[in-house]
Amino acid sequence: MSDKPDVPILPAATILMLRDDPFDVLMVKRHHQIDFAAGALVFPGGKTHAGDDDPRWEERCLGWGGALPHKRPLRIAAIREAYEEAGILLARHRDGAPFRGDERATAARDDIGRDRRPFIDLIVELDLYLDLEALSVFARWITPPISPRRFDTWFYVAKAPDEQLAVCDGSETVDAEWIAPVEALRLGEIGERTVIFPTRMNLKLLAEATSAEDAVTRARARELVTVEPQVGERNGERVLILPPNAGYGVVEEPLSRVM
């Protein structure tokens, strides 16, 4: 029997923000001093916070009744993280018009990102409603037991709102860019970008789509199979194995390539 304590699995959410002409996804480069995926090109995302479960969100979210209670904080977290890390806020005004940006939202990013101010307070001040309906489930990954840190991460896909610019926060992220999924994969393959294994697999899945609308349609039609990679051995080499029915095909990734 192992005396090694179980590593807690933390809930997390990330968002694949898409736009067309050309078909790109928003990605951010993690700060090199961040303790997880340092320097990597990733989708905006992170752990859920206590504030994501604030009861006041019921009055400030579109699609509240369409999401299961335990899924609402995940969707709120995905929207919050995209705002904190890339400056894009998926929200609407009282009349249903999409939020196009506001100096107050820009000025509040640092305070909210550093937990000096609740996200809900900003949304109330701006008289906005988070657009939970804009998110579609893309994938769910649970970090394998061999990892020193474990996350139960929900990946969401959404069309980016018009007239909002993506700008990195300068602390957790040092760059924000719109990039074609196939180009992100190419840059990772030749070593010009660091692309960690889950990101690479989901970029490949995303690259099967031809547009933002096609990606959302595919995500909604695809059966959700939770991915918790298992460690196996092939030809004397340890590999991570993905469920064959999860949409990624047959994947047996050498541990030496998992970053």
Side-chain angles (χ1 to χ4, degrees):
M1 179 180 296
S2 174
D3 292 329
K4 183 179 178 180
D6 292 336
V7 177
I9 302 176
L10 305 176
T14 191
I15 187 167
L16 285 65
M17 195 86 72
L18 308 176
R19 71 177 186 184
D20 286 318
D21 302 321
F23 174 44
D24 287 340
V25 61
L26 177 61
M27 303 192 75
V28 295
K29 183 179 180 182
R30 302 276 285 175
H31 195 286
H32 71 280
Q33 293 181 335
I34 293 292
D35 58 357
F36 178 74
L41 195 65
V42 298
F43 310 117
K47 301 187 298 294
T48 58
H49 291 180
D52 300 330
D53 205 20
D54 191 308
R56 291 180 291 168
W57 282 119
E58 183 174 2
E59 303 299 323
R60 286 290 165 178
C61 288
L62 300 175
W64 183 264
L68 294 173
H70 66 287
K71 301 291 182 58
R72 293 166 185 157
L74 290 161
R75 289 175 177 258
I76 293 168
I79 293 175
R80 174 180 51 74
E81 289 286 346
Y83 161 70
E84 290 178 5
E85 295 187 353
I88 292 183
L89 180 54
L90 279 177
R92 292 185 177 271
H93 294 282
R94 187 178 295 271
D95 63 0
F99 177 65
R100 291 183 169 85
D102 185 292
E103 291 182 355
R104 292 171 295 173
T106 301
R109 280 178 67 193
D110 188 58
D111 280 343
I112 291 172
R114 296 178 185 275
D115 294 327
R116 292 193 293 254
R117 183 183 182 190
F119 186 35
I120 181 66
D121 285 0
L122 173 67
I123 300 305
V124 171
E125 177 189 343
L126 298 177
D127 196 19
L128 293 175
Y129 300 82
L130 294 193
D131 195 357
L132 304 189
E133 297 173 322
L135 304 183
S136 298
V137 175
F138 187 82
R140 181 189 183 190
W141 281 59
I142 298 177
T143 313
I146 61 171
S147 302
R149 300 186 66 188
R150 302 191 68 193
F151 300 95
D152 181 351
T153 304
W154 288 76
F155 291 76
Y156 296 97
V157 64
K159 295 180 186 177
D162 295 329
E163 300 181 27
Q164 290 194 53
L165 298 177
V167 180
C168 70
D169 64 7
S171 55
E172 287 192 45
T173 63
V174 294
D175 194 14
E177 61 180 313
W178 292 99
I179 187 169
V182 291
E183 176 64 6
L185 289 167
R186 186 188 73 83
L187 293 175
E189 190 64 31
I190 64 176
E192 289 192 14
R193 296 287 195 281
T194 299
V195 182
I196 60 176
F197 179 59
T199 305
R200 177 155 44 92
M201 291 296 100
N202 283 297
L203 280 169
K204 287 183 177 180
L205 190 58
L206 180 63
E208 296 176 2
T210 57
S211 67
E213 181 66 34
D214 185 33
V216 172
T217 299
R218 286 170 179 262
R220 290 175 176 172
R222 189 166 52 242
E223 178 186 2
L224 179 64
V225 176
T226 300
V227 176
E228 184 173 357
Q230 302 297 311
V231 178
E233 187 171 315
R234 297 291 185 271
N235 300 317
E237 185 175 21
R238 297 183 77 200
V239 296
L240 278 185
I241 303 169
L242 301 191
N245 60 338
Y248 304 91
V250 177
V251 178
E252 297 177 353
E253 185 79 0
L255 286 183
S256 58
R257 287 199 64 195
V258 175
M259 304 178 67

